[in-house]
Amino acid sequence: MFRIGAVDEGEVLLARLGALTARARELAEMQRSRVELAVALQRGMLPQDLPSPPGVRLAVRYSPANHGLNVGGDWYDAFAMPDGRIGLSIGDVQGHNIKAAAFMGQVRVGLRALASVTGDPGELLSRTNDLLISLSADLFATCTFLRLDPASGILECARAGHIPHIWATAHGRSGVDSGDGGPPLGVLPGAEYPVTCHRLTAGGVFVLLTDGVVEGPSLSLDDGLEQVRRLAEVTAAAGLGINALANGVMKLADTVGHEDDAAVLVVGHDGGTM
């Protein structure tokens, strides 16, 4: 009787282990499907084609966080505005799930749609902020929006809680944008967003990025931005091109110490007439 009971208990234990293993596999497969869906949403919502006005070159790099539960909502965008200028945006949605990826699409589409109403970067962010609040979404997004005039090289910039961008010239000057910004989009009704102006000169570059590139357990934000500044300065002075710069910046994301979305948008002037 003792031996029969022991065998029965062993069989019950094996059955329970088998059921737990099957459940674990089911949950893992479900999570894998969710990650694949979120990544597909992210990639599907990013622009397939970028504008290429005379004298201006754009390079983008994007790496989604698709490890474990980390599925974020970073984005970049570039499009022609009704007045002939170029709208450029980069941003990061709070959260790491499918909902964040879908909200990213709403923000990006909202920016494009409202750009037909106003081209001023500060007003555009204000209108987008009010639109998101009216939708009663429980998420928010940080964002930088730039309006570039290809004829003059003038860049107008507004930031909504986003990290600063980097600039460098072909003559060895560089810096981190020190302009004031406003709160993230979708948080504060009636928020205002100051606009700062820059000029893209021959051989110069502007680097827009998300915090997944420059901040993490192994790298502080200030140190990350400083590394990008030095890289942009050297690349622009040596005339290595925006694709080399974009690749170099993205390699920095491997050193931050975590798995997060990483997006980079580099704007360059190829030396042609503006």
Side-chain angles (χ1 to χ4, degrees), residues 163-232:
I163 63 174
H165 58 268
I166 311 293
W167 59 269
T169 72
H171 304 295
R173 296 180 61 243
S174 63
V176 179
D177 178 47
S178 58
D180 293 331
L185 301 175
V187 174
L188 181 65
E192 297 184 355
Y193 299 89
V195 177
T196 57
C197 293
H198 311 274
R199 189 168 187 269
L200 181 64
T201 57
V205 295
F206 279 77
V207 184
L208 286 72
L209 33 75
T210 57
D211 59 4
V213 182
V214 291
E215 183 179 26
S218 301
L219 189 67
S220 70
L221 176 60
D222 288 342
D223 288 342
L225 291 173
E226 175 60 18
Q227 289 192 34
V228 174
R229 185 199 64 76
R230 292 198 299 265
L231 182 60

Side-chain angles (χ1 to χ4, degrees), residues 121-191:
E123 185 179 353
L124 177 57
L125 290 186
S126 293
R127 288 176 177 261
T128 304
N129 174 65
D130 291 341
L131 172 63
L132 295 175
I133 290 175
S134 72
L135 296 175
S136 299
D138 58 356
L139 295 176
F140 64 84
T142 67
C143 174
T144 292
F145 188 89
L146 272 68
R147 178 172 64 173
L148 169 63
D149 182 355
S152 66
I154 298 298
L155 272 165
E156 300 165 279
C157 170
R159 290 192 292 125
H162 202 68
I163 63 174
H165 58 268
I166 311 293
W167 59 269
T169 72
H171 304 295
R173 296 180 61 243
S174 63
V176 179
D177 178 47
S178 58
D180 293 331
L185 301 175
V187 174
L188 181 65

Side-chain angles (χ1 to χ4, degrees), residues 50-53 56-61 77-79 86-88 148 242-243 265-268:
L50 301 174
S52 55
V56 176
R57 297 293 178 265
L58 303 177
V60 294
R61 299 292 185 272
D77 200 7
F79 57 93
I86 304 299
L88 305 158
L148 169 63
I242 59 173
N243 284 300
L265 170 57
V266 180
V267 187

Side-chain angles (χ1 to χ4, degrees), residues 250-261:
M250 280 300 286
K251 287 182 180 179
L252 184 61
D254 296 332
T255 69
V256 300
H258 63 63
E259 296 289 351
D260 195 4
D261 281 13

Side-chain angles (χ1 to χ4, degrees), residues 27-120:
L27 291 174
E29 179 63 25
M30 183 182 302
Q31 176 58 27
R32 186 181 67 83
S33 298
R34 288 175 177 172
V35 169
E36 290 177 351
L37 174 59
V39 171
L41 279 172
Q42 289 171 309
R43 293 196 178 279
M45 291 176 185
L46 296 176
Q48 302 302 309
D49 299 304
L50 301 174
S52 55
V56 176
R57 297 293 178 265
L58 303 177
V60 294
R61 299 292 185 272
Y62 174 70
S63 177
N66 56 2
H67 296 269
L69 297 175
N70 291 327
V71 182
D74 287 18
W75 85 87
Y76 64 82
D77 200 7
F79 57 93
M81 302 179 73
D83 61 4
R85 284 180 277 193
I86 304 299
L88 305 158
S89 73
I90 196 163
D92 182 2
V93 173
Q94 166 222 12
H96 294 85
N97 49 39
I98 296 176
K99 192 174 181 180
F103 188 71
M104 174 266 283
Q106 290 181 305
V107 179
R108 178 175 167 260
V109 169
L111 286 168
R112 281 204 177 209
L114 291 171
S116 64
V117 178
T118 176
D120 177 83

